């Protein structure tokens, strides 16, 4: 008697979220205030800040694989903010500010280490571009300084600065507060903190469709584990954004490419900083485990493959051996690829879309890891308030229509 009364109540008040959990109708699929598609660092950070800063805790993060298994767990962990344009410098420096005490905020060691990022110049053109960057950065209050070849060598002793190599080092731009952070720890740190605030993280759950109501507003996602109702969706599915956005009828200005990296066998501490060379497409640092972390370029053809061409790695290793001859006999342990999506101006899209209730965070290309905290922070604001934070206001989808590009091709140049 008692149980049938309860079930009658359940049916009558199925939609009433105020009822105690045990009285709620288990039948309708749960409705979330926000569904985030993609449990990479950016998606998880967004969910965390929605809960922590906007009090929106009824959030699901749905992930087709495992959390952090996309680009977040595949990148070479470089963190810096020395971008050319003020809009970008503002966004990446906001992230760099948040990196400073992220381990304390999340109570999870993300191993952020400000060991400096040195970007080498090998040609007269490189020198001009680097110095333009340095001046632009300093005008915008962003740290960046020029080093002579000898100062580069002093800062990074393994560097070969002899003049008779194919691409001699002619100097470098150093951002001292740049560095590295532990990539998968960032995903796990945000995931654990978001989960503690009530966010649901659903792995092995691929979004296959986005449903819209008669007015065009989003109303649900269809997934391989059932439908989930929601009135707000954030797409944070790097590499696959075009596919997911296409589910809501949006055509994105994006191309997807494989980008590769590799690690060596572990060595004793030998490499004190991060060195990047955009001209010869190589970048290198040493992880706390001891392996050299080496990044290569993108493939020249669009693809969704997580294995890029081997010739790209070979080319990178030739460059590394020329710049750091002492690594010639080091053995490589493994290589892998991730799929990055790039925009025409190499800057991200971090914005509302023309579809009501649909928000998009994408287009980070080869450089979104460093932005993770800042991106999640301002994207959560955009979703919660239905308007951009001043820091991401310029990163709209409409800028490709209006011609207001934020052209960072030279800044992020590692792979372009
Ligand atoms: P991801 O971590 O890729 O997360 C997106 C998630 O969406 C994935 O887990 C994916 O499985 C999921 N997804 C996709 N489709 C669906 C669907 N239909 N349903 C559910 N889930 C879905 N950046 C730097 O700043 N510094 C670097 O040194 C650096 N090095 C890099 C080196 C390599 C080799 C690569 C590949 C990238 C590098 N990047 C770097 C770029 C950086 O990794 C990315 O920009 C950043 O990690 C993007 O994070 P994200 O959270 O947006 O994406
Ligand atoms: O954006 O700093 C970067 C980067 C390094 C390697 C790939 N991207």
């Amino acid at each position: 008697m008692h149980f049938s009364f309860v079930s009658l109540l359940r049916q009558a008040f199925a939609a009433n979220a105020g009822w105690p959990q045990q009285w709620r109708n288990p039948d309708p699929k749960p409705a979330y205030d926000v569904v985030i598609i993609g449990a990479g660092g950016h998606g998880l950070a967004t969910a965390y800040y929605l809960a922590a800063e906007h009090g929106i805790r009824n959030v699901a993060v749905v992930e087709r694989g495992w959390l952090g298994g996309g680009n977040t767990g595949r990148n070479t962990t470089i963190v810096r903010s020395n971008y050319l344009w003020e809009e970008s410098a503002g966004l990446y420096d906001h992230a760099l500010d948040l990196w400073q005490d992220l381990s304390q905020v999340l109570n999870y060691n993300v191993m952020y280490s400000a060991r400096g990022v040195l970007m080498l110049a090998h040609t007269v053109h490189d020198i001009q571009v680097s110095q333009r960057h340095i001046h632009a950065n300093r005008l915008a209050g962003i740290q960046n300084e020029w080093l002579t070849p000898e100062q580069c060598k002093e800062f990074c002793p393994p560097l070969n600065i002899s003049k008779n190599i194919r691409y001699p080092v002619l100097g470098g731009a150093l951002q001292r507060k740049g560095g590295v952070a532990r990539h998968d720890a960032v995903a796990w740190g945000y995931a654990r903190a978001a989960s503690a605030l009530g966010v649901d993280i659903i792995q092995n759950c691929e979004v296959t469709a986005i449903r819209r109501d008669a007015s065009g507003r989003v109303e649900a996602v269809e997934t391989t584990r059932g439908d989930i109702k929601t009135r707000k969706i954030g797409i944070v599915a790097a590499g696959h954004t075009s596919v997911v956005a296409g589910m809501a009828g949006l055509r994105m200005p994006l191309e997807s490419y494989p980008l590769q990296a590799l690690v060596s066998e572990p060595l004793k501490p030998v490499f004190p900083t991060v060195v990047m060379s955009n001209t010869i497409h190589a970048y290198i640092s040493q992880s706390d485990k001891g392996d050299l972390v080496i990044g290569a370029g993108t493939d020249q053809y669009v693809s969704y493959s997580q294995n890029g061409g081997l010739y790209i790695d070979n080319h990178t290793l030739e460059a590394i051996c020329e710049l750091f001859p002492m690594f010639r006999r080091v053995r490589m342990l493994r290589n892998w690829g991730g799929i990055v999506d790039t925009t025409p101006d190499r800057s991200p899209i971090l914005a509302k879309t023309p579809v009501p209730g649909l928000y998009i965070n994408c287009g980070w290309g080869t450089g979104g890891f460093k932005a993770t905290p800042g991106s999640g922070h301002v994207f959560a604001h955009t979703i919660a308030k239905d308007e951009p934070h001043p820091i991401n206001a310029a990163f709209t989808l409409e800028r490709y229509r209006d011609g207001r590009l934020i052209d960072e091709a030279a800044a992020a140049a590692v792979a372009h």
Side-chain angles (χ1 to χ4, degrees), residues 19-316:
W19 283 95
Q21 183 69 40
Q22 67 272 26
W23 282 17
R24 285 192 213 151
N25 188 344
D27 184 32
K29 294 286 180 288
Y32 285 97
D33 292 335
V34 180
V35 169
I36 300 291
I37 304 175
H42 289 238
L44 292 162
T46 305
Y48 168 75
Y49 291 114
L50 277 170
E53 297 212 347
H54 301 281
I56 302 176
R57 297 176 173 210
N58 185 25
V59 175
V61 184
V62 291
E63 165 57 50
R64 68 177 189 168
W66 64 96
L67 70 86
N71 291 321
T72 296
R74 293 165 184 270
N75 66 69
T76 44
T77 79
I78 298 173
V79 171
R80 59 185 173 87
S81 68
N82 51 353
Y83 281 70
L84 181 61
W85 298 102
E86 281 188 16
E87 293 89 341
S88 330
L91 177 59
Y92 290 102
D93 218 46
H94 178 51
L96 207 42
D97 286 344
L98 293 172
W99 279 111
Q100 306 303 316
D101 60 353
L102 193 59
S103 295
Q104 288 73 26
V105 170
L106 300 180
N107 189 24
Y108 201 102
N109 189 359
V110 300
M111 296 166 77
Y112 165 66
S113 156
R115 60 185 67 178
V117 174
L118 176 62
M119 298 174 94
L120 300 177
H122 303 276
T123 63
V124 173
H125 176 75
D126 279 356
I127 296 178
Q128 289 165 345
V129 168
S130 298
Q131 296 199 343
R132 179 184 180 211
H133 260 84
I134 291 172
H135 296 315
N137 285 163
R138 293 171 85 145
L139 280 172
I142 307 291
Q143 204 185 62
N144 206 349
E145 67 193 85
W146 177 252
L147 299 190
T148 62
E150 293 69 30
Q151 289 169 322
C152 291
K153 174 86 180 161
E154 197 182 336
F155 192 70
C156 181
L159 183 64
N160 177 9
I161 57 165
S162 70
K163 295 193 172 33
N164 61 356
I165 58 176
R166 194 172 43 138
Y167 288 105
V169 175
L170 302 182
L174 173 64
Q175 187 175 42
R176 290 182 192 270
K177 76 175 188 181
V180 289
R182 172 85 207 174
H183 48 12
D184 44 5
V186 175
W188 282 95
Y190 274 119
R192 194 180 68 167
S195 171
L197 292 172
V199 169
D200 286 343
I201 299 164
I202 308 167
Q203 301 181 81
N204 297 313
C205 180
E206 178 171 358
V207 171
T208 52
I210 293 175
R211 273 212 314 265
R212 296 164 67 181
D213 66 16
S215 74
R217 190 185 176 91
V218 302
E219 63 172 8
V221 290
E222 294 177 14
T223 81
T224 46
R225 298 178 68 179
D227 303 351
I228 305 174
K229 290 182 186 164
T230 184
R231 302 297 275 167
K232 286 188 173 183
I233 298 173
I235 299 178
V236 202
H240 295 88
T241 311
S242 298
V243 177
V244 180
M247 296 174 190
L250 276 186
R251 191 156 171 255
M252 300 299 295
L254 293 167
E255 287 182 332
S256 296
Y257 293 91
L259 174 65
Q260 296 181 75
L262 50 163
V263 286
S264 74
E265 60 188 342
L267 307 175
K268 291 251 171 73
V270 64
F271 201 80
T273 184
V274 180
V275 174
M276 301 178 66
S277 168
N278 296 340
T279 295
I280 57 178
H281 279 189
Y283 37 103
I284 179 167
S285 64
Q286 186 172 22
S287 79
D288 290 330
K289 281 193 301 186
D291 33 10
L292 298 175
V293 180
I294 297 172
T298 49
D299 276 23
Q300 280 148 1
Y301 303 99
V302 291
S303 157
Y304 287 114
S305 159
Q306 281 184 327
N307 302 307
L310 202 53
Y311 70 99
I312 300 272
D313 292 340
N314 289 340
H315 170 89
T316 297

